[in-house]
Amino acid sequence: MEPISETLTSPSSVPTLPFDLISEILCNLPVKLLLQLQCVCKSWKSLISDHNFAKKHLRKSTPRLMVSIINNRHKNVSLFDSPIPSLFSTLKIQRTKLRFPNSLKNKYCSPSGVCSCDGILCFVADNGSFVLWNPSIRKFKILPPLNNGGPASYYGYGFGFGYDHLTNNYKVVAVSLKEVSVYILGTDFWRTIQDFPHSSCSESSGVFVSGTINWLTEYYDHDGASSISRVIVSLDLAKETYQKLSLPDLNNSLWTLGVLKDCLCICARSWGGKFLEVWVMNEFGNKESWAKLHTVSYTGDGGPYVIGKPLYIYEDNKLLMDFRDLEIGMVKLKLGFYDSKKDTLKILNHQNFECYMDPEVYVESLISPCF
């Protein structure tokens, strides 16, 4: 009779899995664990580093929430992320501090607005430089200066970031008043395209949806009344052409563009921030497909909250939203759930941080900004 130890350690008795099945299993794991598993063997390292595997993994990634917090004592801005809280969450969300690359901390910190696509964050830094950063794999790229030398961080300027399905690549778009520049990932230069249809963007960061980057713009009608009109300017990343998208007929004064369920959405707030309408364009580009998703109002006790915008929509159409708690001398961010069936708002407990910019939803990914 053979010793048990020899039988267990015999190579012929060790079960092996087909490589395709290994790939399928690894594809469902979080990025942090996959980075560690690259050290198991050369074949795993090659698989996890492969761009096609990264794309497959991306389709199964879960969204995360990024918030920025100000340290009042030192006026420093720190970035944190968290899993999207569940509807049954009553405790403080699990925040993890993102490790901002050391070489970015001094000249490139304090991003003014963030766009995200496939796990890559695009932002404009303090010195006006564009930065692409994937915090999941801790890789970043500082883009070359714009040809016109201007930053995109004040009124009249805008930027956006998205994926061009025709070239299978990512593009950064910078709007400098009417001049528009495009940077393609993997190159080392900007090139100009057709001028922006309006003189300015109302919002600096554009919204990526359906292969387009979209900005909400305002302009004055020249009909003698000098009234302000709004329109969405949409840039097709593949064709690099513009179209104007009409908005739903609303009277609310404060408008924000966003995306829910892969559809363009518009959030219209009343003055005072106690009332919010959420509209979704179910068929991109079709004005008739605008439909009201929710009407959110806050009238309860517990704080002078100002409604922000929806961040995430759950399967039962409940919304994760951000709010501003207007305490004396400060404005602090809180998160909450809106249940349309019960018409109730549930503010998450123990959420109390001073926010530098609006929260951003992004996904973990293995996509590198450096290819």
Side-chain angles (χ1 to χ4, degrees), residues 19-58 61 134 136-137 139 364-368 371:
F19 191 75
D20 288 346
L21 182 56
I22 293 175
S23 175
E24 194 65 33
I25 293 172
L26 294 179
C27 206
N28 290 278
L29 299 179
V31 170
K32 184 177 180 180
L33 180 55
L34 287 173
L35 296 179
Q36 296 171 347
L37 292 177
Q38 283 184 321
C39 303
V40 170
C41 60
K42 290 183 179 180
S43 61
W44 283 28
K45 179 177 177 61
S46 177
L47 171 65
I48 296 170
S49 304
D50 183 72
H51 184 69
N52 291 327
F53 177 82
K55 283 289 188 179
K56 184 178 179 181
H57 177 271
L58 180 66
S61 293
N134 184 335
S136 301
I137 58 175
K139 291 186 178 181
E364 277 194 324
S365 85
L366 294 163
I367 306 293
S368 173
F371 74 91

Side-chain angles (χ1 to χ4, degrees), residues 51-258:
H51 184 69
N52 291 327
F53 177 82
K55 283 289 188 179
K56 184 178 179 181
H57 177 271
L58 180 66
R59 293 192 290 269
K60 300 185 178 184
S61 293
T62 55
R64 298 182 67 86
L65 184 68
M66 184 186 70
V67 296
S68 59
I69 300 174
I70 298 176
N71 183 325
N72 278 327
R73 179 175 298 179
H74 303 289
K75 298 299 181 183
N76 294 328
V77 177
S78 299
L79 295 177
F80 292 79
D81 87 334
S82 163
I84 295 291
S86 84
L87 289 168
F88 304 102
S89 177
T90 56
L91 302 176
K92 186 176 182 179
I93 61 174
Q94 299 175 355
R95 291 183 295 170
T96 303
K97 188 171 184 178
L98 297 175
R99 294 186 179 181
F100 211 62
N102 289 330
S103 54
L104 295 180
K105 284 184 177 178
N106 295 326
K107 294 172 61 178
Y108 302 96
C109 61
S110 303
S112 56
V114 173
C115 299
S116 70
C117 179
D118 293 350
I120 300 175
L121 307 178
C122 175
F123 61 87
V124 183
D126 284 347
N127 65 352
S129 298
F130 284 88
V131 179
L132 297 177
W133 177 39
N134 184 335
S136 301
I137 58 175
R138 302 175 188 172
K139 291 186 178 181
F140 69 92
K141 181 176 180 61
I142 301 169
L143 304 193
L146 283 170
N147 299 330
N148 57 21
S153 55
Y154 54 87
Y155 187 81
Y157 288 78
F159 70 101
F161 176 61
Y163 177 73
D164 176 1
H165 65 91
L166 284 185
T167 62
N168 192 28
N169 207 339
Y170 297 88
K171 292 181 177 180
V172 180
V173 179
V175 182
S176 175
L177 294 179
K178 297 199 68 164
E179 184 176 306
V180 181
S181 303
V182 174
Y183 174 88
I184 300 176
L185 200 60
T187 64
D188 199 33
F189 60 90
W190 294 83
R191 58 184 177 82
T192 57
I193 61 172
Q194 180 184 355
D195 283 355
F196 199 71
H198 287 286
S199 59
S200 65
C201 303
S202 301
E203 296 179 330
S204 60
S205 54
V207 174
F208 175 70
V209 61
S210 298
T212 66
I213 298 178
N214 303 268
W215 294 272
L216 185 63
T217 63
E218 295 180 349
Y219 62 95
Y220 284 97
D221 288 332
H222 299 290
D223 56 0
S226 297
S227 59
I228 296 178
S229 295
R230 297 181 178 90
V231 69
I232 297 171
V233 174
S234 180
L235 173 64
D236 187 307
L237 285 180
K239 300 177 182 178
E240 296 185 351
T241 57
Y242 305 97
Q243 66 172 318
K244 297 180 182 179
L245 307 179
S246 299
L247 294 163
D249 297 325
L250 297 171
N251 296 320
N252 305 64
S253 299
L254 304 175
W255 297 51
T256 304
L257 206 58

Side-chain angles (χ1 to χ4, degrees), residues 116 206-210 214 256-267 278-281 284 293 309-313 319 360-361:
S116 70
V207 174
F208 175 70
V209 61
S210 298
N214 303 268
T256 304
L257 206 58
V259 58
L260 288 173
K261 287 187 174 179
D262 296 324
C263 292
L264 198 64
C265 76
I266 194 81
C267 304
V278 182
W279 289 70
V280 173
M281 180 178 270
F284 184 81
L293 182 65
K309 65 177 182 180
L311 301 171
Y312 183 76
I313 186 167
L319 293 176
E360 177 74 13
V361 175

Side-chain angles (χ1 to χ4, degrees), residues 270-322:
S270 62
W271 288 108
K274 299 293 184 181
F275 178 84
L276 176 76
E277 288 188 5
V278 182
W279 289 70
V280 173
M281 180 178 270
N282 291 306
E283 181 184 345
F284 184 81
N286 181 5
K287 179 185 178 181
E288 304 305 318
S289 71
W290 280 113
K292 186 191 293 187
L293 182 65
H294 289 311
T295 299
V296 184
S297 60
Y298 180 78
T299 57
D301 298 326
Y305 298 131
V306 171
I307 298 174
K309 65 177 182 180
L311 301 171
Y312 183 76
I313 186 167
Y314 296 87
E315 292 182 358
D316 55 1
N317 276 346
K318 292 185 176 70
L319 293 176
L320 174 67
M321 306 189 64
D322 73 274

